Amino acid sequence: MIDGKKVLFSGMQATGTLTLGNYLGALKNWVTLSEEYECFYSVVDLHSITVRQEPAELRKRARNLLTLYLAAGLDPQKNCIYYQSHVSGHAELSWILNCFTYMGELNRMTQFKDKAAKHADNINAGLFTYPVLMAADILLYQTDMVPVGVDQMQHLEITRDIAQRFNAVYGDVFTIPEAYIGKSGAKIMSLQNPQKKMSKSDENPNASIYLMDEPDVILRKFKRAVTDSEGQILYREEQPGIRNLLDIYCACTGKSPEEAVKEFEGKGYGELKEAVGETVVSVLKPVQDEFARLSEDKSYLDSIIKENAQKANYYATKTLRKVQKKVGFPERIR
């Protein structure tokens, strides 16, 4: 805990462009969590280099992502918003935790299998030990809660296993994190294949709504969204396309699926798509406008980056020094 609040950690990779799914499933919900938790939100650029990146582009995307955090409403005074690479404790703790993680555990990670299949020409050790760095991200701040989707639970479970294994040897060193699962908009699906999650790496440009998409682009993508031939607007698994559109509408408006179904009773799919598209445009416009404003204020962004890195380093160092002492590393001479 910090100042009587439980600690919450999360982060996003500085690759690709954030989608509506990233915003509704995570970023939007993060904003409301700072009142209840002491929040650390990282731009996880160390994780990004398991796949080859163009250096200048990675720096640009990292800065844009941090700016989007702020544009979405994250207060840098209430939340610690920082670059993962600016806190060396992430990498240092990751090495120590590697020595408390078993090969069999890492072999079972489904994300490694998926990414190895996609990047067969670059199956590197970082890709394999990715979950250990993720564990370090979480444990470094004595995190109590981690916002996760169902597809990320495996990584949180291995984090808990590593922490419990370390604690069993050295005592009560790490806080054992719990999952925080948001209720609304937790999983936004592809507009072209509602059986899979909306992704910023989808090859089909019509499958995802990107946070910086122009209004006409957003409306056009929703018009092309896959539905079905049933012709009725119901919230059920048998109609995944319609269910996804209703999920998006509910996440944007705060309405329940039942309320949304009643609102569109007797209306056609075209009207539903148009209404959802216009709602998304109205939700994203303030974020886009604030992103543009912040991007022009270089000195302000630089000050946020510097101050938040100092705060993250302060708390990270407290944990890291404790861990280093426990495993037997020589004390540092100050």
Side-chain angles (χ1 to χ4, degrees):
M1 283 198 176
I2 298 176
D3 296 331
K5 285 185 174 181
K6 287 186 175 182
V7 176
L8 181 142
F9 174 89
S10 194
M12 294 184 186
Q13 278 204 50
T15 54
T17 303
L18 290 193
T19 69
L20 179 67
N22 298 131
Y23 178 68
L24 296 178
L27 197 48
K28 182 185 175 187
N29 294 331
W30 288 2
V31 177
T32 64
L33 296 174
S34 61
E35 298 302 322
E36 185 177 354
Y37 298 99
E38 184 71 31
C39 300
F40 290 80
Y41 293 125
S42 181
V43 174
V44 288
D45 46 355
L46 293 180
H47 285 289
S48 301
I49 65 170
T50 57
V51 177
R52 295 285 179 265
Q53 303 291 331
E54 201 285 311
E57 187 65 22
L58 178 60
R59 279 189 286 272
K60 179 182 176 181
R61 289 189 184 280
R63 191 176 179 91
N64 284 346
L65 179 54
L66 188 141
T67 306
L68 271 173
Y69 283 2
L70 301 175
L74 289 177
D75 185 340
Q77 302 304 318
K78 293 182 178 179
N79 306 277
C80 187
I81 303 164
Y82 70 100
Y83 294 131
Q84 183 189 27
S85 61
H86 284 192
V87 181
S88 61
H90 286 268
E92 290 186 70
L93 182 58
S94 181
W95 169 251
I96 296 172
L97 297 184
N98 266 317
C99 301
F100 291 84
T101 306
Y102 300 133
M103 295 286 287
E105 292 174 310
L106 296 176
N107 274 322
R108 290 194 291 271
M109 294 289 107
T110 56
Q111 190 178 69
F112 170 71
K113 296 172 184 176
D114 293 342
K115 288 198 172 186
K118 291 179 182 177
H119 304 281
D121 60 333
N122 183 25
I123 304 175
N124 55 72
L127 197 62
F128 187 66
T129 61
Y130 185 104
V132 185
L133 177 57
M134 187 175 286
D137 298 339
I138 295 166
L139 300 177
L140 195 58
Y141 301 101
Q142 301 296 344
T143 301
D144 296 283
M145 306 298 294
V146 183
V148 293
V150 175
D151 55 339
Q152 296 170 313
M153 281 300 297
Q154 193 180 34
H155 282 144
L156 182 59
E157 287 166 2
I158 194 173
T159 298
R160 288 169 53 85
D161 290 342
I162 295 168
Q164 289 167 343
R165 186 174 299 134
F166 192 95
N167 286 357
V169 177
Y170 297 109
D172 190 17
V173 178
F174 292 121
T175 300
I176 308 300
E178 301 285 344
Y180 177 94
I181 301 175
K183 295 180 181 179
S184 180
K187 196 169 185 180
I188 302 302
M189 312 305 282
S190 163
L191 296 182
Q192 293 300 307
N193 181 2
Q195 302 290 352
K196 71 174 188 177
K197 196 174 178 180
M198 185 178 287
S199 170
K200 55 186 178 181
S201 61
D202 201 307
E203 294 180 0
N204 187 337
N206 292 311
S208 301
I209 302 293
Y210 299 105
L211 258 58
M212 303 310 293
D213 276 348
E214 295 287 339
D216 61 327
V217 173
I218 293 172
L219 293 173
R220 185 168 65 250
K221 287 182 179 180
F222 274 109
K223 285 180 181 178
R224 295 173 177 173
V226 169
T227 51
D228 54 52
S229 59
E230 295 197 25
Q232 53 183 341
I233 299 173
L234 298 173
Y235 188 77
R236 55 181 187 161
E237 292 183 7
E238 292 81 1
Q239 292 180 272
I242 298 302
R243 183 186 175 100
N244 188 40
L245 290 174
L246 291 172
D247 275 335
I248 293 170
Y249 187 72
C250 291
C252 288
T253 62
K255 295 180 179 180
S256 68
E258 293 75 21
E259 289 172 326
V261 168
K262 188 173 182 180
E263 180 180 342
F264 291 104
E265 188 176 357
K267 295 182 179 180
Y269 289 173
E271 292 172 282
L272 172 64
K273 291 179 180 181
E274 183 178 1
V276 177
E278 289 175 350
T279 301
V280 169
V281 167
S282 68
V283 165
L284 293 187
K285 189 177 187 307
V287 178
Q288 294 173 346
D289 291 346
E290 183 65 1
F291 176 85
R293 186 189 72 80
L294 288 168
S295 296
E296 294 296 317
D297 197 342
K298 182 178 183 299
S299 60
Y300 173 72
L301 286 176
D302 287 347
S303 69
I304 295 302
I305 290 167
K306 181 180 179 180
E307 291 167 11
N308 280 248
Q310 290 172 342
K311 179 180 178 179
N313 270 296
Y314 170 77
Y315 287 106
T317 300
K318 287 178 69 174
T319 296
L320 188 60
R321 294 292 175 263
K322 186 176 183 179
V323 170
Q324 290 169 333
K325 183 178 180 180
K326 289 289 187 181
V327 299
F329 291 166
E331 186 176 349
R332 302 191 180 206
I333 307 301
R334 293 176 176 82

